[in-house]
Structures are given as structure tokens and as C-alpha cells.
Amino acid sequence: MNRILIADDEAEMRELIYNYLTDAGYDVAVASDGMQAWELFEKQVFDLVLLDIMMPKIDGYGVCELIRKKSDVPVVFLTALDGEEHQLMGYDSQADDYVTKPFSMPVLLKKIAAILRRKGNESSENLLEYKNLVIDRDVMEVKVDGKKLSLTIKEFEILYLFVSRPGFVYTRDMIIDAIWKDGFAVEDRVVDSHIKNLRQKIGEGYIETVRGMGYRAIKE
């Protein structure tokens, strides 16, 4: 399932887009300002980002520039700024598309599907290859040298999180926010225990501890 981040300071617009995208089968997260959008992007893996431009704290251009320093994830601006100057600024920020409000939701859905298709996300977004691991998110399956491993759901989600961004350091709080979404309090030692078990199952050379910070998948 493709994961999309919506960032817009208008509550009605956020709700409208959220409802359409979830009805279309997307996994959606929402942010009400630029800072919140960037914090969510830092903690989670998204396949596409929808950004308003006129947002508090950090505007859409700023969020897009921050994203581009770390990722080539598709970014689409959704904005009331329809002037040529603003559109050029949007594309200069390396956005993939620029959509002016008001817009047609069915047309937006088609644009999103087309962008994801071009990026190869609809067919391969959930299949990751990392070193000698093959991780299939659709069937929650991990293979090492072709041999299937038996992982718990949390172990699988942690591994997928790390491998989606090799070299990126995840703090324990970031891991908890990304993996445990049921509202229950989770202690740091629970995260450490899951990662210890995961390492025992997949072996050494994949996940490393960054002292004083957290964990990461070793960059190839």
C-alpha cells in the first residue's frame, strides 16, 4: 500500500483529501503546518508528499527543499498560488507537479497514480533488496539468500523501516512513533529487545547501533 503525506493548514482541505485518498486505498498521514510535515517525514517512509505552500512555521517551498536534501520521493504542490512566478518556484524546488486550487479530486487521484506509476512504486514499492536480503512488504516476508525467515510483525516492520533508508539513524522515539501506532506507551527496552531478536534472526552486518543516538541499517 502506498503511503502519502498531506500537509495543509486548512482543516477542511486536509479532511477532503484524506477521505478521497483513503477511499482509494492509500495509507495517509496528515500535517497542519510545515514543521509537523517535516517531523513526520523524518520519522516515517512515504511514497508521495502533497504540500500546500502557504503554511505556518515552514512554508511548502521550505519543506520541499528539506525533503530534497534527503530523498527523491515525489512531491506535489497543492496551492491557491496560481501565478507563473510561484509555479516556477515550485518546480525550482524540484517538485514533481504543481496543482492549483480549486482542483478536481478525481483528476488529482489520476495524477497521483500516474506519478507513482512512473516512479515504479505501484509495482515494486513494497519489494526491497538490501545486501542479500529480499523484503516483500505485501506478504510480510523476508528471505536471506533465498531462505525465508520467521519474523514477528514488529520485527518485520522495524527491518523494513531501517532498510527503506539505509544509513539514516533512527532514535528509539522515532522507531516507537513509526511502528507502535496503537497509543500504548512503549519503553526503550522493548525496542532494544525487538532489535536484538531481529539481529539474531538475520545475522550480523545489517543493523548497527549508533552510540548515544539509536540504530540504522548499515549503508552499502
Side-chain angles (χ1 to χ4, degrees), residues 75-103:
V75 174
V76 177
F77 282 121
L78 302 178
T79 177
L81 299 175
D82 58 359
E84 180 181 281
E85 178 184 356
H86 293 109
Q87 294 185 46
L88 291 174
M89 288 176 63
Y91 288 115
D92 285 343
S93 299
Q94 300 182 53
D96 293 82
D97 207 341
Y98 191 104
V99 179
T100 57
K101 301 175 182 177
F103 52 83

mmCIF file of all heavy atoms in Angstrom, residues 75-103:
data_model
loop_
_atom_site.group_PDB
_atom_site.id
_atom_site.type_symbol
_atom_site.label_atom_id
_atom_site.label_comp_id
_atom_site.label_asym_id
_atom_site.label_seq_id
_atom_site.Cartn_x
_atom_site.Cartn_y
_atom_site.Cartn_z
ATOM 1 N N VAL A 75 6.963 14.823 -4.931
ATOM 2 C CA VAL A 75 6.327 15.922 -4.198
ATOM 3 C C VAL A 75 5.399 16.671 -5.151
ATOM 4 O O VAL A 75 5.797 17.027 -6.262
ATOM 5 C CB VAL A 75 7.374 16.899 -3.627
ATOM 6 C CG1 VAL A 75 6.678 18.113 -3.007
ATOM 7 C CG2 VAL A 75 8.253 16.211 -2.597
ATOM 8 N N VAL A 76 4.164 16.885 -4.703
ATOM 9 C CA VAL A 76 3.178 17.635 -5.493
ATOM 10 C C VAL A 76 2.693 18.814 -4.667
ATOM 11 O O VAL A 76 2.244 18.642 -3.536
ATOM 12 C CB VAL A 76 1.971 16.751 -5.873
ATOM 13 C CG1 VAL A 76 0.932 17.569 -6.637
ATOM 14 C CG2 VAL A 76 2.418 15.549 -6.698
ATOM 15 N N PHE A 77 2.802 20.011 -5.204
ATOM 16 C CA PHE A 77 2.263 21.195 -4.538
ATOM 17 C C PHE A 77 0.779 21.318 -4.840
ATOM 18 O O PHE A 77 0.354 21.200 -5.993
ATOM 19 C CB PHE A 77 2.978 22.463 -5.001
ATOM 20 C CG PHE A 77 4.322 22.677 -4.378
ATOM 21 C CD1 PHE A 77 5.467 22.770 -5.159
ATOM 22 C CD2 PHE A 77 4.454 22.789 -3.001
ATOM 23 C CE1 PHE A 77 6.712 22.971 -4.593
ATOM 24 C CE2 PHE A 77 5.694 22.986 -2.419
ATOM 25 C CZ PHE A 77 6.824 23.078 -3.215
ATOM 26 N N LEU A 78 -0.028 21.558 -3.800
ATOM 27 C CA LEU A 78 -1.454 21.859 -3.930
ATOM 28 C C LEU A 78 -1.665 23.232 -3.317
ATOM 29 O O LEU A 78 -1.591 23.384 -2.095
ATOM 30 C CB LEU A 78 -2.305 20.816 -3.188
ATOM 31 C CG LEU A 78 -2.146 19.353 -3.597
ATOM 32 C CD1 LEU A 78 -3.032 18.471 -2.727
ATOM 33 C CD2 LEU A 78 -2.507 19.153 -5.067
ATOM 34 N N THR A 79 -1.918 24.235 -4.127
ATOM 35 C CA THR A 79 -1.879 25.600 -3.615
ATOM 36 C C THR A 79 -2.830 26.533 -4.348
ATOM 37 O O THR A 79 -3.193 26.289 -5.504
ATOM 38 C CB THR A 79 -0.442 26.144 -3.723
ATOM 39 O OG1 THR A 79 -0.406 27.509 -3.292
ATOM 40 C CG2 THR A 79 0.074 26.055 -5.151
ATOM 41 N N ALA A 80 -3.206 27.617 -3.653
ATOM 42 C CA ALA A 80 -4.022 28.660 -4.267
ATOM 43 C C ALA A 80 -3.162 29.651 -5.053
ATOM 44 O O ALA A 80 -3.685 30.496 -5.777
ATOM 45 C CB ALA A 80 -4.810 29.403 -3.193
ATOM 46 N N LEU A 81 -1.851 29.546 -4.930
ATOM 47 C CA LEU A 81 -0.938 30.447 -5.641
ATOM 48 C C LEU A 81 -0.811 29.979 -7.086
ATOM 49 O O LEU A 81 -0.104 29.018 -7.384
ATOM 50 C CB LEU A 81 0.434 30.451 -4.959
ATOM 51 C CG LEU A 81 0.451 30.920 -3.496
ATOM 52 C CD1 LEU A 81 1.843 30.766 -2.896
ATOM 53 C CD2 LEU A 81 -0.009 32.370 -3.396
ATOM 54 N N ASP A 82 -1.513 30.672 -7.988
ATOM 55 C CA ASP A 82 -1.566 30.199 -9.363
ATOM 56 C C ASP A 82 -0.730 31.023 -10.333
ATOM 57 O O ASP A 82 -0.763 30.802 -11.546
ATOM 58 C CB ASP A 82 -3.010 30.154 -9.859
ATOM 59 C CG ASP A 82 -3.699 31.509 -9.780
ATOM 60 O OD1 ASP A 82 -3.052 32.481 -9.329
ATOM 61 O OD2 ASP A 82 -4.887 31.604 -10.167
ATOM 62 N N GLY A 83 0.044 31.967 -9.821
ATOM 63 C CA GLY A 83 0.870 32.795 -10.691
ATOM 64 C C GLY A 83 2.046 32.018 -11.259
ATOM 65 O O GLY A 83 2.530 31.058 -10.664
ATOM 66 N N GLU A 84 2.508 32.461 -12.414
ATOM 67 C CA GLU A 84 3.639 31.793 -13.071
ATOM 68 C C GLU A 84 4.878 31.807 -12.190
ATOM 69 O O GLU A 84 5.614 30.809 -12.118
ATOM 70 C CB GLU A 84 3.938 32.483 -14.404
ATOM 71 C CG GLU A 84 5.094 31.857 -15.174
ATOM 72 C CD GLU A 84 5.375 32.571 -16.473
ATOM 73 O OE1 GLU A 84 4.634 32.325 -17.457
ATOM 74 O OE2 GLU A 84 6.316 33.390 -16.500
ATOM 75 N N GLU A 85 5.103 32.922 -11.504
ATOM 76 C CA GLU A 85 6.286 33.034 -10.639
ATOM 77 C C GLU A 85 6.286 31.951 -9.564
ATOM 78 O O GLU A 85 7.314 31.308 -9.301
ATOM 79 C CB GLU A 85 6.333 34.414 -9.984
ATOM 80 C CG GLU A 85 7.510 34.595 -9.028
ATOM 81 C CD GLU A 85 7.469 35.939 -8.323
ATOM 82 O OE1 GLU A 85 6.569 36.746 -8.632
ATOM 83 O OE2 GLU A 85 8.338 36.165 -7.452
ATOM 84 N N HIS A 86 5.131 31.739 -8.935
ATOM 85 C CA HIS A 86 5.048 30.729 -7.884
ATOM 86 C C HIS A 86 5.210 29.321 -8.456
ATOM 87 O O HIS A 86 5.830 28.449 -7.823
ATOM 88 C CB HIS A 86 3.715 30.849 -7.147
ATOM 89 C CG HIS A 86 3.589 32.113 -6.355
ATOM 90 N ND1 HIS A 86 2.748 33.131 -6.731
ATOM 91 C CD2 HIS A 86 4.210 32.523 -5.218
ATOM 92 C CE1 HIS A 86 2.849 34.119 -5.859
ATOM 93 N NE2 HIS A 86 3.721 33.783 -4.929
ATOM 94 N N GLN A 87 4.644 29.093 -9.630
ATOM 95 C CA GLN A 87 4.788 27.776 -10.247
ATOM 96 C C GLN A 87 6.247 27.499 -10.582
ATOM 97 O O GLN A 87 6.748 26.384 -10.360
ATOM 98 C CB GLN A 87 3.924 27.688 -11.504
ATOM 99 C CG GLN A 87 2.433 27.744 -11.214
ATOM 100 C CD GLN A 87 1.590 27.535 -12.452
ATOM 101 O OE1 GLN A 87 1.849 26.625 -13.234
ATOM 102 N NE2 GLN A 87 0.583 28.377 -12.648
ATOM 103 N N LEU A 88 6.933 28.494 -11.093
ATOM 104 C CA LEU A 88 8.356 28.317 -11.403
ATOM 105 C C LEU A 88 9.158 28.039 -10.133
ATOM 106 O O LEU A 88 10.070 27.195 -10.137
ATOM 107 C CB LEU A 88 8.899 29.563 -12.111
ATOM 108 C CG LEU A 88 8.376 29.805 -13.530
ATOM 109 C CD1 LEU A 88 8.874 31.142 -14.064
ATOM 110 C CD2 LEU A 88 8.785 28.663 -14.461
ATOM 111 N N MET A 89 8.809 28.736 -9.049
ATOM 112 C CA MET A 89 9.483 28.477 -7.774
ATOM 113 C C MET A 89 9.233 27.047 -7.311
ATOM 114 O O MET A 89 10.125 26.385 -6.764
ATOM 115 C CB MET A 89 8.994 29.463 -6.710
ATOM 116 C CG MET A 89 9.493 30.881 -6.889
ATOM 117 S SD MET A 89 8.779 32.030 -5.671
ATOM 118 C CE MET A 89 9.434 31.347 -4.133
ATOM 119 N N GLY A 90 8.007 26.566 -7.548
ATOM 120 C CA GLY A 90 7.685 25.202 -7.174
ATOM 121 C C GLY A 90 8.535 24.185 -7.909
ATOM 122 O O GLY A 90 9.097 23.266 -7.304
ATOM 123 N N TYR A 91 8.644 24.369 -9.209
ATOM 124 C CA TYR A 91 9.452 23.432 -9.983
ATOM 125 C C TYR A 91 10.943 23.615 -9.704
ATOM 126 O O TYR A 91 11.711 22.638 -9.747
ATOM 127 C CB TYR A 91 9.149 23.573 -11.472
ATOM 128 C CG TYR A 91 7.793 23.026 -11.841
ATOM 129 C CD1 TYR A 91 6.780 23.861 -12.310
ATOM 130 C CD2 TYR A 91 7.515 21.665 -11.702
ATOM 131 C CE1 TYR A 91 5.526 23.358 -12.634
ATOM 132 C CE2 TYR A 91 6.262 21.155 -12.027
ATOM 133 C CZ TYR A 91 5.277 22.012 -12.487
ATOM 134 O OH TYR A 91 4.033 21.502 -12.800
ATOM 135 N N ASP A 92 11.362 24.844 -9.389
ATOM 136 C CA ASP A 92 12.755 25.069 -8.998
ATOM 137 C C ASP A 92 13.084 24.363 -7.692
ATOM 138 O O ASP A 92 14.245 24.017 -7.431
ATOM 139 C CB ASP A 92 13.042 26.571 -8.851
ATOM 140 C CG ASP A 92 13.162 27.277 -10.195
ATOM 141 O OD1 ASP A 92 13.342 26.574 -11.212
ATOM 142 O OD2 ASP A 92 13.063 28.519 -10.220
ATOM 143 N N SER A 93 12.048 24.136 -6.867
ATOM 144 C CA SER A 93 12.242 23.390 -5.613
ATOM 145 C C SER A 93 12.274 21.887 -5.863
ATOM 146 O O SER A 93 12.342 21.110 -4.918
ATOM 147 C CB SER A 93 11.107 23.713 -4.634
ATOM 148 O OG SER A 93 11.076 25.084 -4.310
ATOM 149 N N GLN A 94 12.202 21.490 -7.131
ATOM 150 C CA GLN A 94 12.261 20.092 -7.569
ATOM 151 C C GLN A 94 10.984 19.324 -7.246
ATOM 152 O O GLN A 94 11.025 18.127 -6.954
ATOM 153 C CB GLN A 94 13.486 19.382 -6.999
ATOM 154 C CG GLN A 94 14.802 20.011 -7.410
ATOM 155 C CD GLN A 94 15.999 19.260 -6.866
ATOM 156 O OE1 GLN A 94 16.126 18.053 -7.057
ATOM 157 N NE2 GLN A 94 16.874 19.960 -6.167
ATOM 158 N N ALA A 95 9.850 20.041 -7.276
ATOM 159 C CA ALA A 95 8.567 19.356 -7.136
ATOM 160 C C ALA A 95 8.268 18.601 -8.434
ATOM 161 O O ALA A 95 8.734 18.967 -9.514
ATOM 162 C CB ALA A 95 7.460 20.362 -6.858
ATOM 163 N N ASP A 96 7.465 17.540 -8.315
ATOM 164 C CA ASP A 96 7.121 16.734 -9.477
ATOM 165 C C ASP A 96 5.893 17.275 -10.211
ATOM 166 O O ASP A 96 5.719 17.010 -11.398
ATOM 167 C CB ASP A 96 6.862 15.290 -9.052
ATOM 168 C CG ASP A 96 8.124 14.614 -8.559
ATOM 169 O OD1 ASP A 96 8.482 14.805 -7.377
ATOM 170 O OD2 ASP A 96 8.768 13.918 -9.348
ATOM 171 N N ASP A 97 5.054 18.018 -9.487
ATOM 172 C CA ASP A 97 3.872 18.601 -10.122
ATOM 173 C C ASP A 97 3.401 19.790 -9.286
ATOM 174 O O ASP A 97 3.771 19.922 -8.110
ATOM 175 C CB ASP A 97 2.751 17.564 -10.255
ATOM 176 C CG ASP A 97 1.805 17.868 -11.427
ATOM 177 O OD1 ASP A 97 1.792 19.031 -11.889
ATOM 178 O OD2 ASP A 97 1.105 16.952 -11.867
ATOM 179 N N TYR A 98 2.603 20.643 -9.914
ATOM 180 C CA TYR A 98 2.107 21.861 -9.265
ATOM 181 C C TYR A 98 0.629 21.979 -9.614
ATOM 182 O O TYR A 98 0.279 22.199 -10.774
ATOM 183 C CB TYR A 98 2.894 23.073 -9.762
ATOM 184 C CG TYR A 98 2.673 24.353 -8.994
ATOM 185 C CD1 TYR A 98 3.632 24.818 -8.091
ATOM 186 C CD2 TYR A 98 1.531 25.131 -9.191
ATOM 187 C CE1 TYR A 98 3.453 26.013 -7.398
ATOM 188 C CE2 TYR A 98 1.331 26.308 -8.491
ATOM 189 C CZ TYR A 98 2.304 26.745 -7.601
ATOM 190 O OH TYR A 98 2.119 27.917 -6.907
ATOM 191 N N VAL A 99 -0.241 21.799 -8.633
ATOM 192 C CA VAL A 99 -1.687 21.795 -8.852
ATOM 193 C C VAL A 99 -2.303 22.978 -8.118
ATOM 194 O O VAL A 99 -2.086 23.155 -6.919
ATOM 195 C CB VAL A 99 -2.315 20.484 -8.349
ATOM 196 C CG1 VAL A 99 -3.827 20.498 -8.549
ATOM 197 C CG2 VAL A 99 -1.690 19.283 -9.049
ATOM 198 N N THR A 100 -3.074 23.799 -8.824
ATOM 199 C CA THR A 100 -3.662 24.987 -8.203
ATOM 200 C C THR A 100 -5.085 24.695 -7.729
ATOM 201 O O THR A 100 -5.825 23.932 -8.351
ATOM 202 C CB THR A 100 -3.675 26.166 -9.182
ATOM 203 O OG1 THR A 100 -4.379 25.801 -10.368
ATOM 204 C CG2 THR A 100 -2.251 26.567 -9.550
ATOM 205 N N LYS A 101 -5.438 25.333 -6.605
ATOM 206 C CA LYS A 101 -6.784 25.221 -6.048
ATOM 207 C C LYS A 101 -7.698 26.261 -6.699
ATOM 208 O O LYS A 101 -7.245 27.367 -6.983
ATOM 209 C CB LYS A 101 -6.744 25.461 -4.537
ATOM 210 C CG LYS A 101 -5.863 24.501 -3.764
ATOM 211 C CD LYS A 101 -5.802 24.892 -2.292
ATOM 212 C CE LYS A 101 -4.887 23.984 -1.491
ATOM 213 N NZ LYS A 101 -4.771 24.405 -0.075
ATOM 214 N N PRO A 102 -8.977 25.934 -6.898
ATOM 215 C CA PRO A 102 -9.620 24.639 -6.640
ATOM 216 C C PRO A 102 -9.247 23.631 -7.722
ATOM 217 O O PRO A 102 -8.921 24.003 -8.851
ATOM 218 C CB PRO A 102 -11.108 24.970 -6.689
ATOM 219 C CG PRO A 102 -11.189 26.131 -7.632
ATOM 220 C CD PRO A 102 -9.933 26.933 -7.403
ATOM 221 N N PHE A 103 -9.271 22.356 -7.368
ATOM 222 C CA PHE A 103 -8.920 21.315 -8.320
ATOM 223 C C PHE A 103 -9.916 20.170 -8.201
ATOM 224 O O PHE A 103 -10.678 20.065 -7.242
ATOM 225 C CB PHE A 103 -7.495 20.806 -8.088
ATOM 226 C CG PHE A 103 -7.240 20.388 -6.660
ATOM 227 C CD1 PHE A 103 -7.611 19.128 -6.206
ATOM 228 C CD2 PHE A 103 -6.628 21.267 -5.767
ATOM 229 C CE1 PHE A 103 -7.382 18.753 -4.891
ATOM 230 C CE2 PHE A 103 -6.399 20.890 -4.457
ATOM 231 C CZ PHE A 103 -6.777 19.628 -4.010
#
